[in-house]
Structure formats: C-alpha cells, structure tokens
Amino acid sequence: MRILVMNPPFLKKYARSMRCPAVTKSGTLIYPYWLMYATGVLDEAGFVVELIDAPAEDYDLKNILRVAQEFRPNLIVIDTSTASIGNDCNVAEALKNELPDSFVILVGPHVSVLPEETLNLSKKIDAVARKEYDYTLRDLAFTLKNGGDLKTVLGISFRKDGKVIHNPDRTFIENLDELPFISRVCKKHLNVKNYFYSADLYPLVTILGSRGCPYRCTYCLFPQTFTGHRYRLRSIDNIIEEIKYIIKEFPQVKEIKFEDDSIISEDRCINLCEKILENNLKFTWSINSRADVGYGVLKMMHRAGCRLLCVGIESGNQNLLDNLKKNIRVEEIRRFMKDTKKAGMLVHGCFLVGGPGETKETLKETLKFAIELEPDTAQFFPISYYPGTLAYDWAQERGFLITHDFSKWLTSEGMLSSVINQPGLSNVELVDFCDYTRRKFYLRPRYMIRKLKQCLIQPFEAQRTIKSLKTFSRHLFRRHVKTIH
C-alpha cells in the first residue's frame, strides 16, 4: 500500500498549517505538523509513505503530478484550508485524473466543518477526514488494502451511490505518547532549511507537547474545528526523549518551537523545565503562551533555555477582549509584559483587529497599547472569520460577512484580508489600519535603535531579523490596496 501525503501547491510560501493560513509579510513558512504526525503513524503501520510539502519545495501542480506518476500511490491525502479550498479541490481532481484508481481524501479544519459541502465541490474527491485524522488515515489505509467496508472507518465522510455518508466521529486521541516523534518524520521526509518562523532562530524544528485548548476564544481555529477543547498531554518524559533526539540528530537546529495552543498549566511547565535542567539539556526553545503566566514560571523557563513567547495579546480594549471571550484583563497583560522583560524573555505579540464591537477608537487603543508594551516583534492582522468558529457564526447572524467566496479570505497576493463590514468600520479600513499600524510600530526611532543594539550584542538574533526584514520591508512602505471593496 503506497500513500502520498501532501501539502498541495497554491501560492508561493503559503503557510497552510498556520492558525490563520496565508502568505506572510515576514516570509514565515511553518511545518505541516498535522500531516507530519499522520505520516509518522502511517510509517509505523508499515505503509510506504511519501510526504510532499509543495509550498516549502516550491512545487507547482506539474511537479506534483510528476511525483505522483513516479510514486503511483494507492491513497492520496491532501491538506486543505478555507481560503485555498477551491485550489485544493482542483489539485485533487488533477491527481485523480492522472491516477483514477487511487483513493483521494481531503483533511484539515475546513473540511472537518464542511464535509458535505466539500465533497459536493468535486466528484473526484472520494472522502474527507473530519478533525484529528492520524488514526483515521491509518484505519482507512488498512480498510482499502484489505477490501473492507468504508462504513467501518470512524471520522470520514464519503460518497456512495450518489449519497454522502457521514460515519460516526472518531474520539480524540487521549494517549499522545503513542504518537511518533514528528522530528523523526522531519528527518526522513523534510528539509529543515525550508522552514522559517520570523520570531524564532533559524533553522528550527517544531514539536507539540499537547493537543486541545480549554479556553473558548471565539476566533481560534483549531480548538473549535479540529482538536477540541479537551486538553490532552504528552508525558514530560516523552517530550524529554524527543528533545534528546533533536539535539542528537539535528545539530544544525538553533531552536525548538513548541506549537501547542498555549501554556495551560504552570505546574506542568515548571515540571518540564526541571526535567530539562535535571537532564542537563542545552538548547534554545520557544512556545505559544497566554499573557497571564506568572513571573516565577517565566524565570524558570528562561533558566531552562526558553528564549521567546509567542503571545496572543489581541487588543488593548477590555470590551473587545471580553467580546472575544479572551478571559484576560488588560492589567494582567501589562503585568505579564513587565515580567517577561524582568525574566529576560522575548515576546512576539499578536494583535487582532475587527472583533465584535471594534471601532476606529478601539483600533487606536490597540496601537497605543502595542507601543506601550514594546514586544520584541509584533504582528497586526484582521480576524479571519472561519466556518465552524463562534466568530463566524456571530458575523453570519448579523449580516456582516461581505462574501461567501472563501478565496476572498485572502488578498490576491495571498495575505490575510478582511471579509466583514461592521457599522462604521469597513473591511478595507481594517486591512489598511493593519498596514498603518505596522509602520507606526516598526518605524519608530526607539524601536529601530533597540533592534540595532540587539543585533550587535546578540549576533544570533541578527540572522532572523535580517531574514525577516528582506521580505517584510517590501510591505512596510506601501499601502495595502488589493482588498475586497
């Protein structure tokens, strides 16, 4: 049984695995880590598997068809995203036309929420896998190999006799230690030099220590559509073993990035740091975080090699934070940012615009707040209202969505756009404000002097700063005009 697992071609450097898939202004291209986990599961099950990340390899459809013709897969797995779904279906059709005996299945958050709608986009698509698909694909592969009944495969929707059949949901994976190390998948299938995170040292490797998030932020994609709100954990010992593997097998890697949704348990974080120190593991790492981690934890993380926190700050207006169900106070964020500086930690701050109740005045508050907090780097982007999220339902119910054409979730260049008009605030104004805010934040003399000093004192920080600036500077000095009108 031969299986082709694919992050399909779309736009150059399209980061399909991000929580807000897009082409980024900084050139960020993240690992296809959900596909990597599934590939590892299929590898361990004894199948012949090839993982292709087309955006990372700069492959177009012609390249993909050539790979498929040479590999001759029985099963083809194609990742998807909301904005690229039309393109992804076209890739599926092209592969099915070339290999009509292959079974084509689509995966990802978008098809998890809209399985029937997706299948109706093309009769060439045999099935979609809903939500976490690691074991779904394994079971499907065995079923196809043995000539079994597709109705026995939990978590898929498929077409039979002209009708769409939705099999029962698959339960989320509870024992994450059973899953393979995705760093092993990276070693076998991918090139670390292809991946770049603008806030992190280069090159890096991504791992996860958990799945799911108990918080209920209305806009967040994965917990609402893909991994659920139940917080599931790998054991600390299992994580430590993967760290040891990375240190040994990837001597060129400068940083390990934890792509967990957030630091949920401070006690667990401290236990991980203690184990890192106990094992005398010398490496640099970063992690996603909320802006409410205590100083003692931050200090321990820094001792254990944590360099940076990627933090969803979102807004400087308390009402906006409440409307987004962020469950945090502005004063907590201020305290947290002071503590990170005191602990010697860097912060990449993420700010969202266009939430429920956003106005021109609240936008100004967020800009002022970002400058006050002074994170090491910051990104400003409009909220993407993805199907399956509470944010999407809110906008839909009020008639704020200006289009249902998913391709319009991005600009023509593949960058994040806005698809809602709120009273007194248009989608065009939101996108323009993000461009304006980037200039105001990054072109301040105080910020530029601070970054110059950082690069001179810490040359290892200079590499990622210069690499980001090469791409970012093209967008920093011009208005974003290719938005929806």
Side-chain angles (χ1 to χ4, degrees):
M1 186 75 175
R2 303 172 72 81
I3 306 173
L4 179 60
V5 180
M6 183 192 311
N7 185 19
F10 182 39
L11 299 168
K12 187 178 178 65
K13 291 190 179 297
Y14 180 64
R16 191 179 268 103
S17 301
M18 292 199 310
R19 288 162 177 80
C20 297
V23 177
T24 72
K25 290 180 170 63
S26 61
T28 293
L29 186 64
I30 76 173
Y31 284 93
Y33 49 91
W34 300 121
L35 288 179
M36 292 166 71
Y37 269 113
T39 298
V41 168
L42 294 168
D43 273 335
E44 289 190 349
F47 298 107
V48 180
V49 188
E50 185 158 350
L51 170 61
I52 300 295
D53 187 351
E57 296 290 348
D58 198 20
Y59 281 3
D60 59 14
L61 182 57
K62 183 178 179 181
N63 297 127
I64 289 299
L65 293 176
R66 174 183 54 79
V67 169
Q69 288 166 348
E70 293 173 356
F71 186 58
R72 310 301 296 182
N74 309 101
L75 172 61
I76 300 174
V77 180
I78 299 177
D79 199 10
T80 64
S81 66
T82 295
S84 68
I85 189 62
N87 166 89
D88 304 336
C89 290
N90 290 338
V91 172
E93 286 189 336
L95 285 163
K96 188 73 169 183
N97 288 334
E98 287 292 325
L99 300 163
D101 293 331
S102 64
F103 189 97
V104 176
I105 185 167
L106 272 52
V107 300
H110 182 85
V111 301
S112 297
V113 174
L114 301 173
E116 188 157 351
E117 291 85 343
T118 301
L119 286 168
N120 287 335
L121 290 176
S122 172
K123 292 182 179 180
K124 301 286 186 179
I125 301 166
D126 294 300
V128 304
R130 305 189 307 272
K131 301 184 180 178
E132 289 181 351
Y133 50 80
D134 316 71
Y135 294 158
T136 300
L137 295 180
R138 181 196 61 187
D139 291 357
L140 173 64
F142 277 121
T143 299
L144 294 173
K145 179 181 179 182
N146 298 326
D149 188 350
L150 290 179
K151 289 184 178 180
T152 65
V153 182
L154 297 176
I156 69 168
S157 298
F158 65 100
R159 189 184 296 102
K160 185 175 182 180
D161 299 328
K163 296 181 180 180
V164 173
I165 298 172
H166 302 287
N167 288 354
D169 287 339
R170 179 178 297 274
T171 58
F172 289 118
I173 300 169
E174 291 295 330
N175 184 1
L176 299 183
D177 286 3
E178 293 178 349
L179 293 169
F181 294 167
I182 55 170
S183 51
R184 292 187 190 275
V185 177
C186 179
K187 182 77 173 178
K188 180 178 179 180
H189 292 277
L190 301 176
N191 182 353
V192 297
K193 292 183 179 179
N194 286 341
Y195 301 93
F196 173 69
Y197 293 46
S198 61
D200 294 288
L201 302 183
Y202 174 84
L204 81 164
V205 167
T206 292
I207 66 174
L208 281 83
S210 66
R211 290 188 181 187
C213 179
Y215 290 97
R216 303 280 170 165
C217 303
T218 63
Y219 54 87
C220 196
L221 181 64
F222 290 153
Q224 297 185 80
T225 66
F226 193 66
T227 54
H229 289 292
R230 178 173 170 76
Y231 186 47
R232 295 158 287 136
L233 307 171
R234 290 172 65 183
S235 68
I236 298 296
D237 287 342
N238 186 255
I239 296 172
I240 292 295
E241 287 306 308
E242 183 161 20
I243 291 169
K244 289 178 179 178
Y245 174 82
I246 293 169
I247 292 172
K248 179 182 178 182
E249 298 295 332
F250 295 89
Q252 76 275 36
V253 161
K254 300 292 194 299
E255 186 163 310
I256 297 175
K257 167 73 173 180
F258 284 84
E259 268 290 4
D260 304 46
D261 284 308
S262 188
I263 298 171
I264 305 299
S265 168
E266 292 192 355
D267 288 343
R268 172 178 162 82
C269 191
I270 289 174
N271 289 340
L272 174 62
C273 293
E274 289 174 342
K275 277 287 188 178
I276 290 170
L277 295 170
E278 180 185 313
N279 283 271
N280 197 31
L281 299 177
K282 306 294 185 182
F283 72 105
T284 301
W285 52 287
S286 60
I287 192 168
N288 297 322
S289 174
R290 285 171 53 82
D292 57 3
V293 180
Y295 172 72
V297 182
L298 295 170
K299 191 66 178 175
M300 174 63 88
M301 292 170 67
H302 185 62
R303 279 186 57 207
C306 186
R307 167 188 158 274
L308 175 135
L309 300 169
C310 182
V311 182
I313 296 169
E314 321 312 5
S315 175
N317 179 274
Q318 189 61 57
N319 286 334
L320 259 294
L321 292 174
D322 293 344
N323 291 344
L324 294 171
K325 299 189 185 301
K326 189 68 182 175
N327 194 28
I328 198 166
R329 307 294 298 175
V330 169
E331 285 308 313
E332 287 182 89
I333 300 172
R334 285 196 173 97
R335 186 269 307 163
F336 167 82
M337 289 299 295
K338 289 178 181 177
D339 286 348
T340 57
K341 293 178 174 63
K342 185 178 175 183
M345 303 277 280
L346 298 179
V347 170
H348 174 69
C350 302
F351 297 86
L352 292 174
V353 303
E358 189 83 85
T359 66
K360 292 177 182 178
E361 290 305 311
T362 59
L363 290 174
K364 293 175 185 177
E365 286 184 59
T366 293
L367 172 56
K368 182 179 178 181
F369 194 48
I371 292 173
E372 173 197 337
L373 296 179
E374 192 79 340
D376 180 68
T377 50
Q379 63 185 62
F380 305 87
F381 52 91
I383 292 178
S384 294
Y385 286 80
Y386 293 115
T389 64
L390 291 172
Y392 182 88
D393 293 342
W394 172 86
Q396 176 88 312
E397 289 167 3
R398 288 159 179 77
F400 291 164
L401 287 173
I402 63 174
T403 179
H404 290 87
D405 178 354
F406 293 131
S407 68
K408 301 302 184 183
W409 263 241
L410 300 175
T411 70
S412 60
E413 295 172 306
M415 294 168 189
L416 289 174
S417 187
S418 174
V419 292
I420 68 161
N421 282 338
Q422 293 192 59
L425 193 60
S426 72
N427 66 306
V428 175
E429 289 173 310
L430 286 174
V431 176
D432 284 347
F433 178 79
C434 290
D435 290 339
Y436 168 77
T437 302
R438 290 185 198 98
R439 293 193 295 272
K440 294 294 287 185
F441 182 86
Y442 282 108
L443 298 182
R444 290 173 293 132
R446 176 180 173 181
Y447 180 83
M448 291 189 286
I449 291 170
R450 178 168 65 80
K451 290 300 290 183
L452 179 61
K453 286 182 178 178
Q454 182 190 64
C455 291
L456 292 173
I457 296 171
Q458 300 173 302
F460 58 89
E461 297 287 357
Q463 183 186 23
R464 57 104 181 178
T465 299
I466 293 170
K467 190 173 176 64
S468 295
L469 187 60
K470 287 180 180 178
T471 302
F472 191 47
S473 60
R474 300 203 311 266
H475 307 283
L476 199 57
F477 299 101
R478 64 184 176 88
R479 285 176 60 83
H480 208 327
V481 295
K482 295 182 179 179
T483 53
I484 309 166
H485 292 274

